[in-house]
Amino acid sequence: MEFLTQKYAQSLPERTWHALKKKINPPKPPARPEEGTILNHVIAIDGPAASGKSTVSRELAKRLGFAHVGTGTLYRALTWKLLDEKVDFSKPALVAERLKTMKIECGIEADTLVMRLDHIDPLPHVRDGEINEYVSAVAAIPAVRQSLLEKQRELLNHGPLVVEGRDIGTVVFPHTPFKFFIDADPEVRAARRAKDGEKDSVASRDAQDAARKAAPMMKAKDAIRIDTSTLSIDEVVETVLGFLEGKGLFENADAHAVKEAK
Ligand code: CDP
């Protein structure tokens, strides 16, 4: 596998935020990279449902010139596929059996996640009404998480990423120094989801996500918690950028590139 060059270093998008105007030093390949080793940055953003993390992550990725990956989409996509095929996901063994033959392809196009399940694009279906109801049950199945873990890490081969989910800082990219846990009061989150016009029991999904044995939703010890209850999206993005600057993303880019991808 070839060592990938850093596209964001080549053409930085216009930004308004003052500190971002500084030149970002691209991570350099090690002198003799091990075969298949890719160095890239990952900003890990975890948090409960409707905490604002998706909007914040997308905006952050745009400002940094990184690709955005919403990993919830992967779990939603598998949920759609299993529902579509009427696989009984109350029986984890049946799900594991089906996953053995399912071709799961993930990639990045136009700085965002693309996916195929047995050659079909599941993304048009991932916000279907019934997915919210079942996705946490599907995401709790160890075989499901196992089938997606390497796929997520391999996305880093495409370039630097802002990755949001529930276990990004704890399990998927534990070695990144850039970790955030975006939270908000439960009432605020329920109200936000209702405003989106989506039927979603945020509290019940959070409870399931936090209680499961396999990669439960939790704040990584070294993640920075940001409560967005009274903050605008822009304020949260600015806060995150401030922490990233403090952690040296813009000064010393080489030192923090992550080597999770195989
Ligand atoms: O957008 P919202 O916060 O409502 O949810 P999402 O990010 O699309 O995630 C949907 C569901 O996928 C979550 O409720 C979790 O059950 C699961 N998920 C997970 O288990 N691990 C992740 N890294 C991301 C999502």
Side-chain angles (χ1 to χ4, degrees), residues 89 99 120 144-145 153 157 212:
F89 48 72
L99 288 175
I120 294 167
V144 166
R145 306 202 74 82
R153 290 181 176 159
N157 295 351
R212 71 180 172 224

Side-chain angles (χ1 to χ4, degrees), residues 125-165:
H125 309 286
V126 295
R127 301 303 307 191
D128 286 359
E130 56 188 1
I131 306 287
N132 281 341
E133 198 178 331
Y134 299 113
V135 63
S136 290
V138 171
I141 300 172
V144 166
R145 306 202 74 82
Q146 202 51 45
S147 73
L148 294 175
L149 183 58
E150 283 309 314
K151 306 280 172 199
Q152 293 171 81
R153 290 181 176 159
E154 282 164 13
L155 292 172
L156 195 55
N157 295 351
H158 294 264
L161 304 174
V162 176
V163 185
E164 46 139 327

Side-chain angles (χ1 to χ4, degrees), residues 47-225:
S51 57
K53 67 185 185 314
S54 300
T55 319
V56 164
S57 304
R58 261 191 217 100
E59 181 57 27
L60 188 65
K62 210 160 88 186
R63 296 223 209 159
L64 292 170
F66 290 15
H68 166 259
V69 177
T71 58
T73 300
L74 304 173
Y75 296 91
R76 288 173 176 276
L78 279 185
T79 303
W80 168 75
K81 183 81 172 141
L82 295 171
L83 280 170
D84 192 54
E85 294 184 1
K86 302 192 170 40
V87 176
D88 180 356
F89 48 72
S90 68
K91 302 200 170 77
L94 286 183
V95 173
E97 199 51 35
R98 174 62 187 99
L99 288 175
K100 277 187 197 157
T101 56
M102 192 183 296
K103 190 169 164 57
I104 303 176
E105 297 169 283
C106 300
I108 303 279
E109 278 173 23
D111 282 341
T112 189
L113 180 70
V114 289
M115 194 179 189
R116 295 282 183 279
L117 294 178
D118 284 343
H119 310 287
I120 294 167
D121 181 0
L123 300 193
H125 309 286
V126 295
R127 301 303 307 191
D128 286 359
E130 56 188 1
I131 306 287
N132 281 341
E133 198 178 331
Y134 299 113
V135 63
S136 290
V138 171
I141 300 172
V144 166
R145 306 202 74 82
Q146 202 51 45
S147 73
L148 294 175
L149 183 58
E150 283 309 314
K151 306 280 172 199
Q152 293 171 81
R153 290 181 176 159
E154 282 164 13
L155 292 172
L156 195 55
N157 295 351
H158 294 264
L161 304 174
V162 176
V163 185
E164 46 139 327
R166 305 292 189 286
D167 60 344
I168 308 306
T170 49
V171 174
V172 183
F173 293 113
H175 298 123
T176 180
F178 308 118
K179 299 182 187 179
F180 297 88
F181 194 87
I182 306 281
D183 208 348
D185 293 341
E187 312 79 62
V188 173
R189 293 190 287 108
R192 284 180 185 162
R193 198 40 52 101
K195 204 169 145 220
D196 293 343
E198 229 180 82
K199 189 165 170 281
D200 190 4
S201 173
V202 165
S204 123
R205 220 148 43 83
D206 287 348
Q208 289 183 71
D209 291 345
R212 71 180 172 224
K213 285 211 177 82
M217 168 174 70
M218 68 165 99
K219 178 189 160 307
K221 279 199 192 85
D222 51 343
I224 293 161
R225 183 189 295 272

Side-chain angles (χ1 to χ4, degrees), residues 183-185 188 192 226-233 235-236:
D183 208 348
D185 293 341
V188 173
R192 284 180 185 162
I226 301 176
D227 187 328
T228 71
S229 303
T230 59
L231 299 177
S232 69
I233 295 297
E235 284 169 329
V236 183

Side-chain angles (χ1 to χ4, degrees), residues 31-54:
R32 240 176 285 158
E34 294 160 36
E35 201 187 341
T37 301
I38 310 289
L39 294 177
N40 264 315
H41 290 297
V42 182
I43 318 287
I45 306 216
D46 290 304
S51 57
K53 67 185 185 314
S54 300

